């Protein structure tokens, strides 16, 4: 049985955040994000077993 892949937009909608905010938490760019929000997003990413796809990884590294 295959589980449905978790997307950044799923987490963003759950917390009423932008996808940019969730992405920034994933890639450690959290200077402008409250500690509480970072913690909540990180915990949910772990709970939902989020892992970035290859396109997201490459985008995060500015390769694409």
């Amino acid at each position: 049985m295959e589980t449905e892949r978790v997307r950044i937009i799923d987490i963003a909608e759950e917390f009423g955040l932008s996808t940019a905010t969730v992405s920034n938490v994933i890639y450690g760019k959290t200077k402008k994000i409250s500690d509480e929000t970072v913690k909540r997003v990180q915990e949910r990413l772990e709970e939902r077993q989020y892992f970035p796809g290859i396109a997201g990884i490459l985008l995060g590294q500015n390769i694409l």
Side-chain angles (χ1 to χ4, degrees):
M1 182 178 189
E2 193 173 315
T3 58
E4 187 174 325
R5 183 163 179 181
V6 179
R7 302 170 304 159
I8 289 176
I9 194 167
D10 298 327
I11 303 297
E13 287 177 352
E14 187 173 337
F15 288 115
L17 301 170
S18 70
T19 55
T21 298
V22 175
S23 179
N24 285 337
V25 171
I26 291 168
Y27 294 104
K29 300 174 184 178
T30 58
K31 289 182 183 178
K32 297 181 180 179
I33 305 170
S34 75
D35 291 342
E36 179 183 336
T37 298
V38 171
K39 181 180 176 184
R40 287 177 27 214
V41 170
Q42 288 174 335
E43 286 174 352
R44 187 54 46 100
L45 289 167
E46 286 181 31
E47 287 171 9
R48 307 248 339 246
Q49 299 178 344
Y50 171 83
F51 63 95
I54 190 68
I57 293 169
L58 296 176
L59 282 170
Q61 296 174 350
N62 293 322
I63 293 175
L64 290 180

